[in-house]
Amino acid sequence: MTDPLTIAGTTLASRLFVGTAGYPNQQMLLDCLETSGTELVTVSIRRISLEGYAESLVDLLEGRYRLLPNTAGCVTARDAILTAELAREALQTDWVKLELIGDRETLYPDVEQLVHAADQLVRSGFTVLPYCNEDPVACQKLADVGCAAVMPLGSLIGSGGGIANPAAIELVCSRSPVPVVLDAGIGTASDAALAMELGCDAVLVNTAIAKSHDPQRMAAAMRAGVEAGRLARLAGRIPKRRFAEPSSPQLGLVST
Amino acid sequence: MTDPLTIAGTTLASRLFVGTAGYPNQQMLLDCLETSGTELVTVSIRRISLEGYAESLVDLLEGRYRLLPNTAGCVTARDAILTAELAREALQTDWVKLELIGDRETLYPDVEQLVHAADQLVRSGFTVLPYCNEDPVACQKLADVGCAAVMPLGSLIGSGGGIANPAAIELVCSRSPVPVVLDAGIGTASDAALAMELGCDAVLVNTAIAKSHDPQRMAAAMRAGVEAGRLARLAGRIPKRRFAEPSSPQLGLVST
Amino acid sequence: MTDPLTIAGTTLASRLFVGTAGYPNQQMLLDCLETSGTELVTVSIRRISLEGYAESLVDLLEGRYRLLPNTAGCVTARDAILTAELAREALQTDWVKLELIGDRETLYPDVEQLVHAADQLVRSGFTVLPYCNEDPVACQKLADVGCAAVMPLGSLIGSGGGIANPAAIELVCSRSPVPVVLDAGIGTASDAALAMELGCDAVLVNTAIAKSHDPQRMAAAMRAGVEAGRLARLAGRIPKRRFAEPSSPQLGLVST
Amino acid sequence: MTDPLTIAGTTLASRLFVGTAGYPNQQMLLDCLETSGTELVTVSIRRISLEGYAESLVDLLEGRYRLLPNTAGCVTARDAILTAELAREALQTDWVKLELIGDRETLYPDVEQLVHAADQLVRSGFTVLPYCNEDPVACQKLADVGCAAVMPLGSLIGSGGGIANPAAIELVCSRSPVPVVLDAGIGTASDAALAMELGCDAVLVNTAIAKSHDPQRMAAAMRAGVEAGRLARLAGRIPKRRFAEPSSPQLGLVST
Amino acid sequence: MTERATMIRLRINGVEDEVGASTLAELLKHQGIDLQARFLAVAVNGAVIRRADWLAHPLSPGDEVEIVRPLQGG
Amino acid sequence: MTERATMIRLRINGVEDEVGASTLAELLKHQGIDLQARFLAVAVNGAVIRRADWLAHPLSPGDEVEIVRPLQGG
Amino acid sequence: MTERATMIRLRINGVEDEVGASTLAELLKHQGIDLQARFLAVAVNGAVIRRADWLAHPLSPGDEVEIVRPLQGG
Amino acid sequence: MTERATMIRLRINGVEDEVGASTLAELLKHQGIDLQARFLAVAVNGAVIRRADWLAHPLSPGDEVEIVRPLQGG
């Protein structure tokens, strides 16, 4: 299939982005990434342990995947911006998944601060992909300040709740001038397929793979789910009808 | 992937069954079947036109696909049984998708008659796959009389309504002693994936492919959707939670 | 409001039927019935304890409520019919809520046997209200054999799952020649309202009231919910639209 | 029932707020308000027609209902604030339903501007009830700047789409320090009941009543629906279970 | 019961028992049931015996007797 | 068909017709059907007549004949 | 209005107009508005002018005047 | 480090410490960090100090130093 996604001039053959946290072990992570077919994986930026420096996960990922550092956990624009700048220095990438959490318990984004932080980062040369909510006005503002994509949540981070508000996601997709990446809440493959059918350009999955009973198989499931949903979107689904419509011919029945 | 489905001793590598009606043209049908990866396709049995005999669709399908004749449109056990017997003679197969319609407008099955007709056909040596509803007791009875599988509806035939009652389908799957094939109502790829995640062993799709704007691409979508859902089912999804759960590490955040 | 329901020639001012099982105590049951405004309550028929005979619940209900004995728990037509006949003798009513369970774990009805038992009971002069599923063909058959109403399940008995398949309930209601009483699964007041909006003529509630933290208040809630749904059904709801439609005038805005 | 709602020190016996736009005629509006039992009705503020001045709707409402002027249609904080100030002068009330639309087509709120405008209005002595989205962080900010309540949308204004994201509304309700009034999207009585069950303190309805086939009856339905949902919330619903739970006694069945 | 009552084996509400009762009425009294109690119903061998017939209805060895009353139900 | 063929009334695929055919094979030929054509099936009076029996199977007045083949189906 | 009223250009409810009015009260009268009418509100250049100040409030060329009242609303 | 290194109080990754380091490079070495290690990034007082400047960047008492690297993340 040749149906690449382009974000900020970069072409990605896979529309599945994968998070790297919470896998049973590092080998499983690597196997899952391989199986998923992803080309873009997220990492966090964290203070080094002062007890010493161990080999980084990134040594294993570098060169094989495009890295998308996040600002997970940041609650102020200032911390998020500094984290983004440190990420740029550490990873030599100007891409950042901008997270600005408004509430530590729900990890729901603070869209007001998000727009301001995104604005500043764009001005500083970053390619910003903000984790936001399914608010079409907020998504428009994020695009207006120059974000390369928007990443609305399906449901709360790590909840596996799927897409809680399909109508809103569809609305965001139908109006967004930049690619829409469904972030957060994907619990299983049909959620990923649905996201793509609603018009999302890509899907980011982490917990649903990492915490599955069989992560590698779930990675394969998500890969297939994203592909299924994307193909269905492109193919154009039949409308929903309230009534039945026979598929087999209605004439010529055997009748005794 | 080696995860074959066995029905009545026959092993099928693909868990997607495809109907052959309603495609824009015959070549499109053949392309869709090829793309779908299916091994089992449904046909109807109809009186020949008395004006003459044309080459049959079946000449094109034979040898490439296992054929599953249906009794679509039959409203009496007698007609359904005779249609099954004619199908056996015509196609030299004892497999039959048994349809017994209780209402011509909704094409809803008549499960009471269905159980009796299935019973008779099983006694006559047929391998019976009945189109039924998502009634766990009816499905159990169909298995009890010897059906090789049960084929509950997701929603009304041709409606594209998806899976109207996921809890009931899940219940049927959890208790059925024979394979469960989701029949009717699939509208898009995520529906197919969801069916498999709920525990269905296979999915039958016709209208959603045939009437899509791009049938061949939708065939590919359905193939991927079934695979996605099956893999997710096998992998074991994360539980749904009402609350958020951070994926990135919670310690070591940059904090100014 | 004068919008009575007529079943088998009997007029009921309240469209809420209430079950009498599982309340914290008998006084609470009586208070709940009073608050609910119901006129029809269900009872079971059970073997007397051989240790002796205590005053019956029915002594308290008699004269205040029409009693609807059920055949709950019966798994054979024979037992259900005998239970109905004993109920008629004990309560001097020919009304019966006919339950014929096909599976002890899910308490799902056995519609095949149900139709046969209903047929026999109707012939014996009973007014039969069968607990069935949301199968429009089965409901039609039950009406055809002379049932006075049909009582499809919303979801499994006692599950509080609400109306699992609204489209099917709506379909049953749109085609049923006899009143439709939503039975089983109601968990809260909005479920009852939705049932009525889908076209049900009445709702039967038991566990949702009896096991609520505050049963009497939930009885009031159910009463209001049934009334709300019935009024909304009669009023005719606005269609669902995918787009917004301003309510306030669009002209004459203050604009600086 | 004595279960009043208090907003900004004002006690309201009815938890149903009603909009005054779009009724077939003025008498119907008055009848609907009467039937609904509401105590708080919304009005817009519009430029007078320069052709002359007609008797105002408000002459009819004054003294019977508390008036809540809105800033419907405003797309800038400046216009919304001026409209609020004009409303205060015209109606001698400092209550305002603050609407700040971010998109004229969807009428979706612009929460970023909303927070700023609300902040200013609160500082100017207004009692601000902002129309917002189901974003718990935005709702918290609105409360933080001193809003007297928050009014998240159920779905798009006038769409009748009901509550598109119940989990988010429930989340907002569970965390909001001020009353939550469900605004926009209510299509029928069960929507209103559900809103209250999710924890909303009140519901605002306009189009669903005004554009119903029988507005007055729908007004009664909404009144009952709000009451039903509120009672159910207070009573405490039974949990949803995946399995059945018999209501009738399991012992002592007749068994032949 | 008088001493003349012959003991017969019955199945009463699913339980085998041997009682000295030759009619349904005698059986009910033997079970401690007030014959005037309302809302009772009785079946023997799958057929309801109306209250008016309790006195006369003879019992035979092996009879299956169901004695029921209404209880709470859903 | 020879001139000796007697005309009989049949119901063929639901339509009354009078044809000069005394066996099923003759009828099929009369309908223009290639007896070797694959995927055909025929029933007379509700019973399938296997292909091997077409030649021998006699037709009687009033027989109901179903001649079918597979078509597209869902 | 007297003949002494000078004509000034205003923007009234978004529409440019030239009127002979030197105070807000004069403008309102000129527009045919009853100054005692309830539920009216007026702003000039974005600031609400309270009813008590209508008589005294002078108008200047280019003033933007908003005259509003409540209407049906949701 | 030579014995001449003066001890200064810094806040390193949120923790107050007193170290004998006058440049960022010295501090990193003191923390046991390989200056060639890839994927490291450092900020002082909220401003990222590029790797090329670590050697020259002087530390002052009270400086807030952040030393980070990429980890797993979602």
Side-chain angles (χ1 to χ4, degrees), chain B residues 17 46 48 85 98 103 105 134 143 147 170 172 185 206 224 226 246:
Chain B
F17 305 167
R46 288 292 178 270
I48 62 165
E85 286 171 343
L98 181 63
D103 175 81
E105 204 175 326
E134 73 274 47
C147 288
E170 194 169 26
V172 165
N206 189 342
V226 168

Side-chain angles (χ1 to χ4, degrees), chain A residues 5 56 62-63 65 71 109 111 116 170 206 211 237-238 251:
Chain A
L5 168 64
S56 168
E62 205 216 359
Y65 303 100
T71 64
V111 292
H116 297 157
E170 195 169 24
N206 188 341
K211 301 294 191 192
R237 62 159 291 159
I238 55 171
L251 297 177

Side-chain angles (χ1 to χ4, degrees), chain C residues 16-110:
Chain C
L16 175 59
F17 305 167
V18 180
T20 58
Y23 293 78
N25 57 63
Q26 206 160 62
Q27 187 56 48
M28 180 65 88
L29 162 62
L30 294 173
D31 292 345
C32 286
L33 295 180
E34 178 78 22
T35 299
S36 75
T38 189
E39 299 178 13
L40 184 67
V41 305
T42 53
V43 294
S44 64
I45 299 297
R46 290 290 180 270
R47 289 165 168 173
I48 61 164
S49 161
L50 296 185
E51 281 81 48
Y53 175 80
E55 186 200 43
S56 168
L57 163 75
V58 173
D59 294 301
L60 300 166
L61 302 178
E62 206 215 359
R64 302 165 68 181
Y65 303 101
R66 175 174 281 269
L67 300 181
L68 178 62
N70 68 32
T71 64
C74 291
V75 295
T76 66
R78 181 177 161 157
D79 283 354
I81 290 168
L82 178 54
T83 301
E85 288 170 341
L86 287 163
R88 177 157 66 174
E89 171 70 8
L91 292 167
Q92 299 297 310
T93 178
D94 54 19
W95 285 40
V96 64
K97 178 185 164 195
L98 181 62
E99 291 189 43
L100 243 163
I101 299 306
D103 176 81
R104 287 193 199 276
E105 203 175 327
T106 61
L107 304 176
Y108 206 89
D110 178 335

Side-chain angles (χ1 to χ4, degrees), chain A residues 68-98:
Chain A
L68 178 62
N70 68 31
T71 64
C74 291
V75 295
T76 65
R78 181 178 160 153
D79 283 353
I81 289 168
L82 178 55
T83 301
E85 287 170 341
L86 286 164
R88 177 157 65 175
E89 170 71 7
L91 292 167
Q92 300 297 311
T93 178
D94 54 19
W95 285 40
V96 64
K97 177 185 165 196
L98 181 63

Side-chain angles (χ1 to χ4, degrees), chain B residues 181-256:
Chain B
V181 182
L182 200 288
D183 189 8
I186 296 287
T188 184
S190 60
D191 294 339
L194 176 58
M196 301 304 289
E197 288 167 356
L198 293 171
C200 292
D201 296 279
V203 164
L204 171 55
V205 182
N206 189 342
T207 304
I209 295 175
K211 300 295 191 192
S212 166
H213 290 130
D214 183 345
Q216 197 174 354
R217 209 188 305 238
M218 189 56 92
M222 290 296 177
R223 178 184 194 157
V226 168
E227 188 181 329
R230 177 63 181 172
L231 286 166
R233 171 76 178 188
L234 294 175
R237 63 158 290 159
I238 55 171
K240 292 190 188 187
R241 312 162 63 99
R242 290 184 59 197
F243 302 107
E245 175 114 325
S247 44
S248 297
Q250 291 181 269
L251 296 177
L253 274 86
V254 171
S255 176
T256 58

